[in-house]
PDB file of all heavy atoms in Angstrom:
ATOM      1  N   LEU H 176     -31.122  26.897 -69.918  1.00  0.00           N
ATOM      2  CA  LEU H 176     -31.743  28.069 -69.323  1.00  0.00           C
ATOM      3  C   LEU H 176     -32.071  27.813 -67.852  1.00  0.00           C
ATOM      4  O   LEU H 176     -32.804  26.884 -67.524  1.00  0.00           O
ATOM      5  CB  LEU H 176     -33.019  28.421 -70.089  1.00  0.00           C
ATOM      6  CG  LEU H 176     -33.671  29.755 -69.723  1.00  0.00           C
ATOM      7  CD1 LEU H 176     -32.744  30.912 -70.055  1.00  0.00           C
ATOM      8  CD2 LEU H 176     -35.008  29.912 -70.460  1.00  0.00           C
ATOM      9  N   PRO H 177     -31.533  28.633 -66.932  1.00  0.00           N
ATOM     10  CA  PRO H 177     -31.826  28.434 -65.504  1.00  0.00           C
ATOM     11  C   PRO H 177     -33.298  28.691 -65.186  1.00  0.00           C
ATOM     12  O   PRO H 177     -34.025  29.296 -65.967  1.00  0.00           O
ATOM     13  CB  PRO H 177     -30.929  29.486 -64.829  1.00  0.00           C
ATOM     14  CG  PRO H 177     -29.902  29.854 -65.849  1.00  0.00           C
ATOM     15  CD  PRO H 177     -30.580  29.713 -67.168  1.00  0.00           C
ATOM     16  N   GLN H 178     -33.726  28.221 -64.036  1.00  0.00           N
ATOM     17  CA  GLN H 178     -35.069  28.498 -63.558  1.00  0.00           C
ATOM     18  C   GLN H 178     -35.177  29.987 -63.241  1.00  0.00           C
ATOM     19  O   GLN H 178     -34.412  30.515 -62.431  1.00  0.00           O
ATOM     20  CB  GLN H 178     -35.374  27.672 -62.303  1.00  0.00           C
ATOM     21  CG  GLN H 178     -36.796  27.795 -61.790  1.00  0.00           C
ATOM     22  CD  GLN H 178     -37.797  27.165 -62.737  1.00  0.00           C
ATOM     23  OE1 GLN H 178     -37.521  26.141 -63.359  1.00  0.00           O
ATOM     24  NE2 GLN H 178     -38.960  27.773 -62.863  1.00  0.00           N
ATOM     25  N   LYS H 179     -36.117  30.656 -63.869  1.00  0.00           N
ATOM     26  CA  LYS H 179     -36.208  32.103 -63.753  1.00  0.00           C
ATOM     27  C   LYS H 179     -37.349  32.552 -62.838  1.00  0.00           C
ATOM     28  O   LYS H 179     -38.332  31.836 -62.645  1.00  0.00           O
ATOM     29  CB  LYS H 179     -36.394  32.728 -65.146  1.00  0.00           C
ATOM     30  CG  LYS H 179     -35.198  32.534 -66.080  1.00  0.00           C
ATOM     31  CD  LYS H 179     -33.978  33.290 -65.587  1.00  0.00           C
ATOM     32  CE  LYS H 179     -32.822  33.215 -66.535  1.00  0.00           C
ATOM     33  NZ  LYS H 179     -31.658  33.992 -66.066  1.00  0.00           N
ATOM     34  N   GLU H 180     -37.171  33.757 -62.284  1.00  0.00           N
ATOM     35  CA  GLU H 180     -38.190  34.363 -61.448  1.00  0.00           C
ATOM     36  C   GLU H 180     -38.680  35.659 -62.101  1.00  0.00           C
ATOM     37  O   GLU H 180     -38.087  36.142 -63.067  1.00  0.00           O
ATOM     38  CB  GLU H 180     -37.607  34.662 -60.054  1.00  0.00           C
ATOM     39  CG  GLU H 180     -37.098  33.435 -59.332  1.00  0.00           C
ATOM     40  CD  GLU H 180     -36.440  33.764 -58.000  1.00  0.00           C
ATOM     41  OE1 GLU H 180     -36.516  34.944 -57.579  1.00  0.00           O
ATOM     42  OE2 GLU H 180     -35.835  32.864 -57.396  1.00  0.00           O
ATOM     43  N   LYS H 181     -39.746  36.221 -61.561  1.00  0.00           N
ATOM     44  CA  LYS H 181     -40.271  37.487 -62.093  1.00  0.00           C
ATOM     45  C   LYS H 181     -39.431  38.648 -61.561  1.00  0.00           C
ATOM     46  O   LYS H 181     -39.918  39.518 -60.831  1.00  0.00           O
ATOM     47  CB  LYS H 181     -41.743  37.653 -61.707  1.00  0.00           C
ATOM     48  CG  LYS H 181     -42.709  36.866 -62.574  1.00  0.00           C
ATOM     49  CD  LYS H 181     -44.140  37.305 -62.311  1.00  0.00           C
ATOM     50  CE  LYS H 181     -45.078  36.726 -63.357  1.00  0.00           C
ATOM     51  NZ  LYS H 181     -46.467  37.211 -63.177  1.00  0.00           N
ATOM     52  N   VAL H 182     -38.177  38.646 -61.988  1.00  0.00           N
ATOM     53  CA  VAL H 182     -37.218  39.642 -61.515  1.00  0.00           C
ATOM     54  C   VAL H 182     -36.570  40.327 -62.712  1.00  0.00           C
ATOM     55  O   VAL H 182     -36.136  39.683 -63.661  1.00  0.00           O
ATOM     56  CB  VAL H 182     -36.125  38.999 -60.646  1.00  0.00           C
ATOM     57  CG1 VAL H 182     -35.015  40.003 -60.327  1.00  0.00           C
ATOM     58  CG2 VAL H 182     -36.718  38.452 -59.363  1.00  0.00           C
ATOM     59  N   GLN H 252     -25.318  34.228 -59.512  1.00  0.00           N
ATOM     60  CA  GLN H 252     -26.589  33.667 -59.043  1.00  0.00           C
ATOM     61  C   GLN H 252     -27.746  34.630 -59.306  1.00  0.00           C
ATOM     62  O   GLN H 252     -28.846  34.204 -59.694  1.00  0.00           O
ATOM     63  CB  GLN H 252     -26.496  33.348 -57.553  1.00  0.00           C
ATOM     64  CG  GLN H 252     -27.761  32.704 -56.987  1.00  0.00           C
ATOM     65  CD  GLN H 252     -27.621  32.353 -55.517  1.00  0.00           C
ATOM     66  OE1 GLN H 252     -26.535  32.364 -54.956  1.00  0.00           O
ATOM     67  NE2 GLN H 252     -28.745  32.045 -54.885  1.00  0.00           N
ATOM     68  N   LEU H 253     -27.503  35.928 -59.107  1.00  0.00           N
ATOM     69  CA  LEU H 253     -28.552  36.916 -59.366  1.00  0.00           C
ATOM     70  C   LEU H 253     -28.940  36.912 -60.848  1.00  0.00           C
ATOM     71  O   LEU H 253     -30.121  37.008 -61.198  1.00  0.00           O
ATOM     72  CB  LEU H 253     -28.077  38.315 -58.955  1.00  0.00           C
ATOM     73  CG  LEU H 253     -27.909  38.570 -57.455  1.00  0.00           C
ATOM     74  CD1 LEU H 253     -27.418  39.988 -57.217  1.00  0.00           C
ATOM     75  CD2 LEU H 253     -29.213  38.325 -56.698  1.00  0.00           C
ATOM     76  N   PHE H 254     -27.934  36.805 -61.729  1.00  0.00           N
ATOM     77  CA  PHE H 254     -28.215  36.729 -63.168  1.00  0.00           C
ATOM     78  C   PHE H 254     -29.029  35.479 -63.504  1.00  0.00           C
ATOM     79  O   PHE H 254     -29.917  35.514 -64.355  1.00  0.00           O
ATOM     80  CB  PHE H 254     -26.915  36.721 -63.968  1.00  0.00           C
ATOM     81  CG  PHE H 254     -26.167  38.027 -63.966  1.00  0.00           C
ATOM     82  CD1 PHE H 254     -24.782  38.049 -63.868  1.00  0.00           C
ATOM     83  CD2 PHE H 254     -26.834  39.231 -64.085  1.00  0.00           C
ATOM     84  CE1 PHE H 254     -24.081  39.245 -63.881  1.00  0.00           C
ATOM     85  CE2 PHE H 254     -26.145  40.446 -64.093  1.00  0.00           C
ATOM     86  CZ  PHE H 254     -24.767  40.445 -63.987  1.00  0.00           C
ATOM     87  N   GLN H 255     -28.717  34.378 -62.830  1.00  0.00           N
ATOM     88  CA  GLN H 255     -29.427  33.134 -63.097  1.00  0.00           C
ATOM     89  C   GLN H 255     -30.892  33.214 -62.669  1.00  0.00           C
ATOM     90  O   GLN H 255     -31.767  32.617 -63.298  1.00  0.00           O
ATOM     91  CB  GLN H 255     -28.726  31.979 -62.384  1.00  0.00           C
ATOM     92  CG  GLN H 255     -27.368  31.630 -62.987  1.00  0.00           C
ATOM     93  CD  GLN H 255     -26.573  30.662 -62.138  1.00  0.00           C
ATOM     94  OE1 GLN H 255     -26.984  30.299 -61.031  1.00  0.00           O
ATOM     95  NE2 GLN H 255     -25.428  30.225 -62.636  1.00  0.00           N
ATOM     96  N   GLN H 256     -31.169  33.962 -61.619  1.00  0.00           N
ATOM     97  CA  GLN H 256     -32.543  34.080 -61.129  1.00  0.00           C
ATOM     98  C   GLN H 256     -33.372  35.068 -61.944  1.00  0.00           C
ATOM     99  O   GLN H 256     -34.565  34.863 -62.147  1.00  0.00           O
ATOM    100  CB  GLN H 256     -32.522  34.526 -59.663  1.00  0.00           C
ATOM    101  CG  GLN H 256     -31.954  33.487 -58.709  1.00  0.00           C
ATOM    102  CD  GLN H 256     -31.750  34.031 -57.309  1.00  0.00           C
ATOM    103  OE1 GLN H 256     -31.794  35.250 -57.095  1.00  0.00           O
ATOM    104  NE2 GLN H 256     -31.533  33.143 -56.355  1.00  0.00           N
ATOM    105  N   ALA H 257     -32.724  36.131 -62.431  1.00  0.00           N
ATOM    106  CA  ALA H 257     -33.450  37.207 -63.104  1.00  0.00           C
ATOM    107  C   ALA H 257     -33.886  36.777 -64.507  1.00  0.00           C
ATOM    108  O   ALA H 257     -33.156  36.105 -65.230  1.00  0.00           O
ATOM    109  CB  ALA H 257     -32.586  38.456 -63.189  1.00  0.00           C
ATOM    110  N   SER H 258     -35.083  37.187 -64.889  1.00  0.00           N
ATOM    111  CA  SER H 258     -35.588  36.898 -66.236  1.00  0.00           C
ATOM    112  C   SER H 258     -35.142  37.958 -67.241  1.00  0.00           C
ATOM    113  O   SER H 258     -34.935  37.675 -68.420  1.00  0.00           O
ATOM    114  CB  SER H 258     -37.114  36.833 -66.221  1.00  0.00           C
ATOM    115  OG  SER H 258     -37.566  35.726 -65.481  1.00  0.00           O
ATOM    116  N   ILE H 259     -35.021  39.198 -66.765  1.00  0.00           N
ATOM    117  CA  ILE H 259     -34.720  40.340 -67.634  1.00  0.00           C
ATOM    118  C   ILE H 259     -33.560  41.127 -67.033  1.00  0.00           C
ATOM    119  O   ILE H 259     -33.466  41.283 -65.807  1.00  0.00           O
ATOM    120  CB  ILE H 259     -35.957  41.254 -67.779  1.00  0.00           C
ATOM    121  CG1 ILE H 259     -37.135  40.477 -68.390  1.00  0.00           C
ATOM    122  CG2 ILE H 259     -35.643  42.496 -68.608  1.00  0.00           C
ATOM    123  CD1 ILE H 259     -38.463  41.219 -68.290  1.00  0.00           C
ATOM    124  N   ALA H 276     -24.841  39.071 -67.916  1.00  0.00           N
ATOM    125  CA  ALA H 276     -26.258  38.783 -67.694  1.00  0.00           C
ATOM    126  C   ALA H 276     -26.802  37.887 -68.808  1.00  0.00           C
ATOM    127  O   ALA H 276     -27.543  36.921 -68.551  1.00  0.00           O
ATOM    128  CB  ALA H 276     -27.048  40.087 -67.628  1.00  0.00           C
ATOM    129  N   GLN H 279     -26.108  34.156 -68.627  1.00  0.00           N
ATOM    130  CA  GLN H 279     -26.908  33.371 -67.676  1.00  0.00           C
ATOM    131  C   GLN H 279     -28.396  33.399 -68.026  1.00  0.00           C
ATOM    132  O   GLN H 279     -29.243  33.100 -67.184  1.00  0.00           O
ATOM    133  CB  GLN H 279     -26.678  33.888 -66.252  1.00  0.00           C
ATOM    134  CG  GLN H 279     -25.218  33.891 -65.820  1.00  0.00           C
ATOM    135  CD  GLN H 279     -24.544  32.550 -66.028  1.00  0.00           C
ATOM    136  OE1 GLN H 279     -25.048  31.517 -65.583  1.00  0.00           O
ATOM    137  NE2 GLN H 279     -23.400  32.534 -66.710  1.00  0.00           N
ATOM    138  N   GLY H 280     -28.699  33.760 -69.262  1.00  0.00           N
ATOM    139  CA  GLY H 280     -30.074  33.643 -69.740  1.00  0.00           C
ATOM    140  C   GLY H 280     -30.995  34.779 -69.401  1.00  0.00           C
ATOM    141  O   GLY H 280     -32.216  34.601 -69.409  1.00  0.00           O
ATOM    142  N   CYS H 281     -30.464  35.972 -69.144  1.00  0.00           N
ATOM    143  CA  CYS H 281     -31.321  37.141 -68.954  1.00  0.00           C
ATOM    144  C   CYS H 281     -31.681  37.714 -70.321  1.00  0.00           C
ATOM    145  O   CYS H 281     -30.810  37.877 -71.181  1.00  0.00           O
ATOM    146  CB  CYS H 281     -30.613  38.224 -68.149  1.00  0.00           C
ATOM    147  SG  CYS H 281     -30.290  37.800 -66.431  1.00  0.00           S
ATOM    148  N   ALA H 282     -32.940  38.029 -70.525  1.00  0.00           N
ATOM    149  CA  ALA H 282     -33.364  38.726 -71.745  1.00  0.00           C
ATOM    150  C   ALA H 282     -33.038  40.206 -71.560  1.00  0.00           C
ATOM    151  O   ALA H 282     -33.559  40.841 -70.649  1.00  0.00           O
ATOM    152  CB  ALA H 282     -34.856  38.529 -71.971  1.00  0.00           C
ATOM    153  N   ARG H 327     -39.810  36.486 -74.585  1.00  0.00           N
ATOM    154  CA  ARG H 327     -38.796  36.540 -73.536  1.00  0.00           C
ATOM    155  C   ARG H 327     -37.947  35.280 -73.518  1.00  0.00           C
ATOM    156  O   ARG H 327     -36.706  35.350 -73.443  1.00  0.00           O
ATOM    157  CB  ARG H 327     -39.477  36.761 -72.176  1.00  0.00           C
ATOM    158  CG  ARG H 327     -38.511  37.022 -71.037  1.00  0.00           C
ATOM    159  CD  ARG H 327     -39.253  37.401 -69.772  1.00  0.00           C
ATOM    160  NE  ARG H 327     -40.039  36.302 -69.211  1.00  0.00           N
ATOM    161  CZ  ARG H 327     -41.370  36.275 -69.165  1.00  0.00           C
ATOM    162  NH1 ARG H 327     -42.067  37.273 -69.659  1.00  0.00           N
ATOM    163  NH2 ARG H 327     -42.005  35.251 -68.623  1.00  0.00           N
ATOM    164  N   GLN H 331     -34.001  34.864 -74.263  1.00  0.00           N
ATOM    165  CA  GLN H 331     -33.128  34.299 -73.225  1.00  0.00           C
ATOM    166  C   GLN H 331     -32.207  33.224 -73.800  1.00  0.00           C
ATOM    167  O   GLN H 331     -31.009  33.200 -73.513  1.00  0.00           O
ATOM    168  CB  GLN H 331     -33.990  33.734 -72.090  1.00  0.00           C
ATOM    169  CG  GLN H 331     -34.655  34.796 -71.231  1.00  0.00           C
ATOM    170  CD  GLN H 331     -35.669  34.221 -70.266  1.00  0.00           C
ATOM    171  OE1 GLN H 331     -36.158  33.099 -70.447  1.00  0.00           O
ATOM    172  NE2 GLN H 331     -36.012  34.978 -69.228  1.00  0.00           N
ATOM    173  N   ILE H 335     -27.917  33.600 -74.446  1.00  0.00           N
ATOM    174  CA  ILE H 335     -26.867  32.673 -73.998  1.00  0.00           C
ATOM    175  C   ILE H 335     -25.926  32.358 -75.154  1.00  0.00           C
ATOM    176  O   ILE H 335     -24.694  32.400 -75.012  1.00  0.00           O
ATOM    177  CB  ILE H 335     -27.488  31.379 -73.434  1.00  0.00           C
ATOM    178  CG1 ILE H 335     -28.238  31.670 -72.133  1.00  0.00           C
ATOM    179  CG2 ILE H 335     -26.402  30.323 -73.201  1.00  0.00           C
ATOM    180  CD1 ILE H 335     -29.012  30.479 -71.582  1.00  0.00           C
TER     181      ILE H 335
END
Side-chain angles (χ1 to χ4, degrees):
L176 189 63
Q178 185 68 36
K179 295 293 185 178
E180 300 176 8
K181 280 192 169 184
V182 172
Q252 182 178 347
L253 291 179
F254 290 140
Q255 290 170 355
Q256 293 171 346
S258 293
I259 300 168
Q279 304 308 308
C281 292
R327 188 173 68 248
Q331 288 171 340
I335 292 174

